[in-house]
Amino acid sequence: MIPRDLSKDIKTRLQSINGQIGGLIKMLDEDTDPEKILIQFKAAQKGLDKAHFLLLDEVYRKALAIKISETVKACPGNCGNEDRIEFIRKQFPDLELDNLTEKMKEIDVLKAKLEAYKNG
């Protein structure tokens, strides 16, 4: 699942974008100068892109954490990269190895959604 703080941030951004869309509709109804409308379109798109990238960042961080865990399992302590692996593991202190199966399922679902979005 998406962390609550990230979900709240994305929702706030989407609500702001929703307001911008309402403003765009009003501008079109009022026959506003097209240049001003284009500026608002760009602002709305930038906000939507930011919300989208926040979610992608979360997905990729989970995927990276899982790869780190897989690497740790493949290197039981004598592969020559123990220091690097330990350093990277410390970057993800909240991800417990017991949660990896659940996180992997989340990543698979999100990956499928992203592929559908990309191809759709």
Side-chain angles (χ1 to χ4, degrees):
M1 303 288 4
I2 300 171
R4 290 182 197 257
D5 60 333
L6 177 60
S7 181
K8 183 179 177 182
D9 187 12
I10 292 173
K11 284 181 188 178
T12 300
R13 290 173 186 278
L14 292 174
Q15 289 167 342
S16 176
I17 295 165
N18 189 32
Q20 288 175 313
I21 300 296
L24 279 164
I25 292 169
K26 184 177 178 182
M27 291 172 83
L28 290 167
D29 288 342
E30 294 174 352
D31 203 25
T32 303
D33 176 27
E35 289 295 321
K36 291 181 180 180
I37 295 171
L38 286 173
I39 291 169
Q40 289 304 309
F41 266 109
K42 288 178 184 178
Q45 184 62 54
K46 186 175 179 179
L48 190 57
D49 288 345
K50 179 64 176 174
H52 180 212
F53 290 127
L54 285 171
L55 181 59
L56 285 175
D57 182 59
E58 174 68 13
V59 171
Y60 289 132
R61 285 181 187 274
K62 285 181 182 177
L64 179 58
I66 287 170
K67 290 296 180 188
I68 291 167
S69 176
E70 290 171 354
T71 302
V72 169
K73 287 180 183 177
C75 178
N78 58 357
C79 65
N81 291 310
E82 296 82 11
D83 292 339
R84 286 182 177 173
I85 293 170
E86 189 58 31
F87 172 78
I88 294 170
R89 278 183 61 183
K90 288 180 181 178
Q91 304 305 308
F92 297 91
D94 296 332
L95 184 64
E96 297 175 11
L97 295 179
D98 296 343
N99 295 333
L100 288 178
T101 303
E102 180 182 327
K103 298 298 182 192
M104 187 57 127
K105 288 178 186 176
E106 289 177 30
I107 288 172
D108 288 339
V109 169
L110 289 171
K111 182 179 177 184
K113 288 180 182 179
L114 288 171
E115 287 295 323
Y117 174 77
K118 179 180 162 186
N119 296 327

